[in-house]
């Protein structure tokens, strides 16, 4: 492989260094190109542009490979636990038993939130989307822990903010849900594991012992693992750019929550279920909706299909599809929209429009079906995605800080008016 590339422009030839990653990915470093040539590159949506060198997650879209710190998603989903994966992503190695025990204990001791959070919650109407409440509550942590505003504090202080965020997000998520349904909030129970505590805060009632179904807790733990990181996706890139201005961890994560909310990104899991329910209400006529998805004049897209990077199957979708069958069977749930989803997938995998564009089911296509079976309401699906993605966002923010990366500030090509003089009102 050559270690440099040439760009010929305006009669000059510029030699640019080439870098190669540990999985043989190759990039042209254009860091000095503008200062030498006065020319920039442009790539709307950054479809072909790398923003950083990262050691956290590797994915190969053509081969359907996804690894966290070198471990395959298949192995981690089968053998690990969400908090062990969170530790791996954030600190780079699988923890020893003692380290993992302490990590879990630290988290369990920080699940409680300040009582004044309820005053913030009370300010939200019950119609508030839980993602908007979640991003606001995450930002509110800067008020309760003002020392966290300075990201340049000691590693121990940054670690404390990391523990606080991992511990309190499930409390925020479930309190946002209780606010939406007008129920009293349920306090965390530190004797329960992460997902069991989430479930009892989500579905528990005051003065009632909530019985956690181990099948549900395990399925939820696996779903959180599958969502934990995904290299430079839209919301992670947002966290890194916001953090690059030296905004606090809490402010950066809150920005990531908002980026994830969009239906083209994490909001797709909610949009998939709404789409499947729409198709079901329309008599299950999948052919009609496939035609709409292919019609350029129709804004309808097959939600849960397609991916910026995976041009083959999304390995997470394969695992979730199997888990959906298992969980629904174990819970004795027969959900007709699972059959509609499978029918759509079958048709799309044979349809030239989807095959030519390499559109396959992504992580969001089947996840909502499991969340539904677990009793989680549709508007909470993207909150579940945020819960899973939190350790990835934290790991990526921490790596960007430790790399001392510069503030993110893209260039542009101006296509507006050339210089012109001010026109007085009576001349307009
Ligand atoms: C996530 O990046 C990540 O890693 C994200 C994520 C993560 O873990 O963080 O994996 C999570 O966000 C998964 C994606 C969830 N979103 C959806 O399911 C929404 C539906 N999918 C699309 O909107 C779309 O596929 C994207 C947004 C996912 C990807 O869009 P791209 O890469 O910008 O591709 P594109 O829009 O340029 O599409 C290429 C072609 C176009 O057709 P042509 O103009 O070439 O004729 O494919 C078509 C698109 O119209 N197309 C679709 C389609 N997705 C793409 N047509 C119908 N239905 C779809 N779902």
């Amino acid at each position: 492989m050559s270690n440099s590339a040439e760009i010929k422009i305006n009669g000059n030839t510029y030699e640019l260094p080439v870098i190669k990653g540990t999985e043989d990915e190759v990039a042209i470093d254009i860091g000095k190109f503008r200062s030498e040539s006065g020319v920039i590159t442009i790539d709307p949506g950054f479809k072909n542009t790398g923003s950083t060198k990262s050691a956290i997650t590797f994915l190969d879209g053509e081969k359907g490979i996804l690894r966290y710190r070198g471990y395959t998603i298949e192995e981690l989903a089968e053998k690990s636990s969400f908090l062990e994966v969170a530790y791996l992503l954030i600190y780079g190695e699988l923890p020893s038993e003692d380290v993992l025990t302490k990590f879990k204990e630290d988290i369990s001791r920080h699940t409680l939130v300040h009582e004044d959070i309820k005053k913030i919650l009370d300010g939200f109407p019950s119609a508030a989307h839980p993602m908007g409440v979640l991003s606001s509550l995450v930002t509110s942590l800067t008020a309760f822990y003002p020392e966290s505003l300075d990201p340049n504090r000691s590693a121990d202080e940054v670690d404390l903010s990391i523990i606080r965020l991992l511990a309190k997000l499930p409390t925020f998520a479930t309190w946002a849900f209780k606010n939406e349904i007008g129920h009293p909030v349920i306090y965390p129970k530190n004797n329960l594991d992460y997902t069991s505590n989430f479930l009892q805060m989500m579905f528990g009632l005051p003065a009632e012992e909530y019985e956690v179904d181990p099948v549900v807790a395990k399925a939820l733990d696996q779903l959180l693992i599958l969502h934990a990181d995904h290299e430079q996706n839209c919301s992670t890139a947002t966290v890194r750019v916001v953090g690059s201005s030296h905004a606090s961890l809490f402010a950066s994560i809150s920005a990531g929550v908002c980026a994830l909310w969009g239906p083209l990104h994490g909001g797709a899991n909610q949009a998939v279920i709404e789409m499947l329910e729409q198709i079901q209400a329309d008599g299950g006529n999948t052919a009609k909706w496939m035609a709409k998805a292919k019609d350029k004049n129709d804004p309808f897209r097959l939600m849960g299909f397609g991916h910026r990077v995976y041009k083959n199957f999304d390995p997470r979708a394969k695992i979730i599809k199997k888990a959906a069958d298992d969980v629904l069977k174990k819970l004795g749930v027969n959900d007709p929209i699972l059959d509609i989803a499978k029918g759509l997938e079958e048709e799309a995998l044979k349809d030239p429009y989807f095959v030519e564009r390499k559109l396959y089911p992504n992580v969001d296509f089947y996840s909502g079906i499991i969340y539904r079976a677990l009793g989680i309401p549709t508007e909470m699906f993207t909150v579940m995605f945020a819960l899973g993605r939190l350790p990835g966002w934290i790991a990526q923010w921490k790596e960007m800080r430790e790399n001392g990366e510069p503030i993110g500030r893209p260039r542009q090509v101006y296509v507006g008016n050339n210089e012109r003089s001010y026109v007085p009102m009576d001349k307009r």
Side-chain angles (χ1 to χ4, degrees):
M1 179 204 85
S2 57
N3 54 18
S4 68
E6 284 185 353
I7 293 184
K8 291 183 179 5
I9 188 164
N10 300 335
N12 298 314
T13 301
Y14 300 90
E15 191 168 350
L16 301 167
V18 166
I19 61 170
K20 185 166 140 183
T22 48
E23 289 292 341
D24 297 332
E25 293 166 304
V26 175
I28 299 170
D29 182 343
I30 58 168
K32 293 193 170 51
F33 180 55
R34 182 181 176 278
S35 59
E36 290 169 0
S37 68
V39 173
I40 66 166
T41 58
I42 188 165
D43 181 22
F46 314 114
K47 293 191 174 189
N48 309 286
T49 300
S51 58
T52 188
K53 289 183 272 191
S54 177
I56 298 169
T57 291
F58 170 71
L59 54 95
D60 181 320
E62 279 63 38
K63 297 182 188 137
I65 293 172
L66 171 58
R67 300 190 203 121
Y68 296 160
R69 299 285 188 181
Y71 298 97
T72 65
I73 193 66
E74 291 81 4
E75 271 215 286
L76 292 171
E78 187 195 332
K79 301 173 182 169
S80 187
S81 67
F82 177 59
L83 286 187
E84 182 176 79
V85 166
Y87 186 93
L88 169 68
L89 286 167
I90 296 168
Y91 296 103
E93 296 297 337
L94 286 172
S96 66
E97 192 160 2
D98 293 350
V99 167
L100 182 58
T101 302
K102 180 168 184 320
F103 188 61
K104 287 178 178 177
E105 279 169 3
D106 287 349
I107 287 171
S108 66
R109 272 206 304 275
H110 287 275
T111 51
L112 204 55
V113 297
H114 195 289
E115 278 294 294
D116 284 354
I117 289 288
K118 290 183 184 173
K119 292 178 187 155
I120 300 172
L121 263 184
D122 288 346
F124 282 100
S126 55
H129 194 290
M131 283 295 275
V133 177
L134 190 69
S135 66
S136 307
L137 295 184
V138 170
T139 304
S140 79
L141 288 174
T142 58
F144 296 103
Y145 306 103
E147 69 283 2
S148 68
L149 283 169
D150 175 6
N152 302 306
R153 312 276 295 207
S154 70
D156 286 350
E157 288 174 288
V158 170
D159 284 345
L160 178 54
S161 290
I162 290 172
I163 291 290
R164 280 175 169 149
L165 202 42
L166 286 166
K168 297 180 194 306
L169 205 69
T171 310
F172 286 162
T174 54
W175 285 23
F177 172 61
K178 293 296 192 187
N179 180 65
E180 188 197 358
I181 59 174
H183 283 193
V185 296
I186 299 294
Y187 285 89
K189 287 189 175 161
N190 298 337
N191 61 318
L192 296 176
D193 65 52
Y194 200 78
T195 45
S196 300
N197 186 32
F198 169 83
L199 290 166
Q200 71 88 16
M201 289 192 287
M202 180 82 182
F203 298 117
L205 294 172
E208 244 185 48
E209 194 56 35
Y210 179 78
E211 190 70 28
V212 175
D213 180 334
V215 172
V216 173
K218 175 70 184 147
L220 189 52
D221 196 83
Q222 186 181 65
L223 278 170
L224 295 178
I225 291 173
L226 292 168
H227 287 80
D229 193 53
H230 214 240
E231 55 129 286
Q232 305 310 313
N233 58 84
C234 175
S235 54
T236 298
T238 301
V239 168
R240 285 183 85 121
V241 165
V242 171
S244 71
S245 73
H246 289 197
S248 72
L249 172 65
F250 298 148
S252 306
I253 299 299
S254 177
V257 172
C258 290
L260 186 73
W261 196 354
L264 293 190
H265 188 17
N269 55 19
Q270 174 176 344
V272 166
I273 294 298
E274 289 164 352
M275 170 188 76
L276 293 172
E277 286 173 337
Q278 201 175 13
I279 295 172
Q280 183 187 29
D282 189 34
N285 182 350
T286 49
K288 169 187 164 188
W289 292 87
M290 288 284 286
K292 282 170 66 68
K294 297 188 288 185
D295 178 355
K296 285 297 161 218
N297 301 317
D298 190 323
F300 175 77
R301 281 195 160 182
L302 204 54
M303 301 312 278
F305 259 78
H307 198 276
R308 173 59 58 77
V309 178
Y310 288 125
K311 299 307 174 192
N312 199 323
F313 61 92
D314 178 337
R316 302 166 297 177
K318 279 178 84 171
I319 297 169
I320 293 177
K321 180 179 176 183
K322 183 179 177 308
D325 278 328
D326 296 348
V327 170
L328 268 66
K329 206 173 291 163
K330 279 181 190 160
L331 296 177
V333 170
N334 175 22
D335 189 344
I337 66 162
L338 176 59
D339 298 331
I340 293 177
K342 287 181 175 176
L344 274 176
E345 178 183 8
E346 224 170 282
E347 285 179 47
L349 296 184
K350 289 182 298 201
D351 185 298
Y353 173 93
F354 288 85
V355 173
E356 281 155 21
R357 292 166 179 80
K358 300 183 177 179
L359 304 175
Y360 294 88
N362 58 49
V363 67
D364 293 309
F365 190 61
Y366 285 105
S367 55
I369 290 166
I370 300 186
Y371 290 139
R372 246 161 85 103
L374 302 184
I376 292 168
T378 307
E379 69 280 3
M380 281 291 288
F381 288 5
T382 311
V383 169
M384 302 310 296
F385 196 142
L387 271 184
R389 186 52 52 89
L390 179 61
W393 285 334
I394 292 172
Q396 299 270 352
W397 179 89
K398 187 168 177 285
E399 181 180 71
M400 176 273 304
R401 300 279 307 133
E402 288 166 355
N403 288 351
E405 294 185 9
I407 185 168
R409 200 267 183 229
R411 291 280 178 164
Q412 64 160 30
V413 173
Y414 177 70
V415 293
N417 295 96
N418 299 111
E419 186 177 354
R420 52 182 175 165
S421 304
Y422 182 78
V423 180
M425 189 57 80
D426 58 358
K427 295 275 185 298
R428 287 178 202 172

